[in-house]
Amino acid sequence: MRGMEGKLTSPTVLREVLSRHGVRLRPELGQHFLADGNILERIVELTEAGGDETAVEVGAGAGTLTVALAPRVRELVAVEVDRRLISVLEETTAAHPNVRVLPGDFRGFPLSSLGERILLVGNLPYGITSDVLVKLIREREAVERAVVMVQREVGEKLVAPPGPEASRLGVHLRAYFDAEVVRKVPRTVFFPPPAVDSALIRLRKLPVPHVTAPEPAFERALSLIFSGRRKTLRRALLGQLSAAEADRILAEARLDGRVRGEALPLEAVDRLAHTLDPGGTR
């Protein structure tokens, strides 16, 4: 189907296309398609796509974002786990030979197999948001930047400063990426509307990470810190270490065991990680 740019933001058109392919949306897969041309235009603008790059879309759905972004990139890999939507995508993207429709679960594809310096985009299904972002962190060598839609509460926690609103995923992400909430998105702009509002997040990989500890040690430190949200740092460490070991680590990392773990700035988490892995390279 040619000339789909903009039309797929119409609930009427979306309903007709899906009906023609015999597709009924499955809420358990987080299938809520963007139906607002202004926000779609803003997403494309935020990608800063320059033409000579590969974009990977997580959960391409019916192709709303796909057909809007395709003219801006050299190649667009549209990943979709629901095989019923593959024929829909093949129809809606037919006018864009640079689009490669890839059936399957995004979490199962190594990012390095999809391209280099990838631009990652997508309206992330809420149920797999954490999995996608952790994958992005761990396979960041293949990624340049990302623009993704997430649940509003999740987005706010991703960028929250140290304190009661901080999240393990947010601290993990900001160790390697600059993260910002660029727009809050009401549930009413989706078809069908989800139960909660969303947020548009822009991520840029840092030239140099904010942490220097080896990744396993840094992730272990995060696990310890966030194992008990309302516990002091010392009590959290005592969940996995002896009192003597916990006190030694706190002293070497120059940390006050009376503070709560979520209140630690990144540099303090990095010091804790180095102390947990004294053989690591600084």
Side-chain angles (χ1 to χ4, degrees):
M1 181 181 292
R2 295 186 175 275
M4 290 304 297
E5 290 81 353
K7 294 182 180 180
L8 287 174
T9 56
S10 163
T12 300
V13 173
L14 276 170
R15 197 177 288 112
E16 188 275 328
V17 171
L18 294 171
S19 176
R20 190 165 62 251
H21 288 265
V23 176
R24 289 189 176 184
L25 297 182
R26 297 168 59 186
E28 70 272 17
L29 293 179
Q31 292 176 334
H32 304 281
F33 300 154
L34 184 63
D36 185 287
N38 291 328
I39 294 178
L40 178 63
E41 183 178 341
R42 179 61 173 150
I43 294 173
V44 174
E45 176 186 309
L46 287 169
T47 66
E48 300 176 333
D52 188 26
E53 59 192 323
T54 296
V56 176
E57 183 180 2
V58 184
T64 306
L65 176 57
T66 321
V67 298
L69 183 59
R72 309 289 189 94
V73 296
R74 178 176 54 82
E75 180 186 28
L76 199 165
V77 182
V79 184
E80 176 52 53
V81 70
D82 188 346
R83 292 184 179 271
R84 301 173 308 150
L85 289 171
I86 298 305
S87 63
V88 176
L89 277 169
E90 290 172 344
E91 175 184 333
T92 58
T93 64
H96 302 283
N98 62 326
V99 172
R100 174 161 61 101
V101 177
L102 184 60
D105 189 331
F106 169 80
R107 295 170 293 182
F109 296 108
L111 291 182
S112 59
S113 70
L114 303 179
E116 298 178 352
R117 303 185 65 183
I118 288 170
L119 162 62
L120 187 75
V121 298
N123 175 23
L124 302 185
Y126 294 157
I128 67 167
T129 296
S130 294
D131 290 349
V132 170
L133 293 179
V134 170
K135 181 179 180 67
L136 182 66
I137 294 166
R138 292 177 176 167
E139 300 181 40
R140 63 188 178 278
E141 291 304 316
V143 179
E144 182 73 16
R145 62 195 187 283
V147 177
V148 294
M149 192 89 72
V150 301
Q151 185 176 341
R152 178 175 174 177
E153 182 181 359
V154 172
E156 291 172 345
K157 287 181 178 296
L158 288 177
V159 301
E165 297 304 315
S167 69
R168 173 178 175 174
L169 179 57
V171 177
H172 197 180
L173 185 68
R174 295 198 312 279
Y176 304 103
F177 287 85
D178 176 64
E180 60 177 325
V181 174
V182 292
R183 181 165 183 164
K184 295 173 183 177
V185 181
R187 68 196 77 183
T188 53
V189 303
F190 294 95
F191 168 78
V196 296
D197 294 333
S198 297
L200 196 55
I201 308 294
R202 178 164 58 187
L203 305 171
R204 291 190 176 98
K205 187 172 65 177
L206 297 169
V208 179
H210 286 314
V211 297
T212 58
E215 286 191 54
F218 181 65
E219 292 194 31
R220 185 187 177 200
L222 289 176
S223 177
L224 285 168
I225 288 170
F226 287 96
S227 61
R229 290 287 305 181
R230 300 305 170 211
K231 293 180 181 178
T232 63
L233 182 56
R234 185 175 187 274
R235 285 189 62 198
L237 293 177
L238 288 175
Q240 298 187 31
L241 305 170
S242 68
E245 185 71 359
D247 289 337
R248 180 190 66 79
I249 285 174
L250 289 169
E252 290 185 10
R254 308 186 305 282
L255 296 173
D256 184 347
R258 296 170 295 181
V259 304
R260 289 177 175 170
E262 64 262 29
L264 293 179
L266 256 176
E267 57 269 23
V269 182
D270 194 30
R271 291 203 309 273
L272 176 61
H274 276 294
T275 307
L276 290 168
D277 182 31
T281 302
R282 288 183 180 270

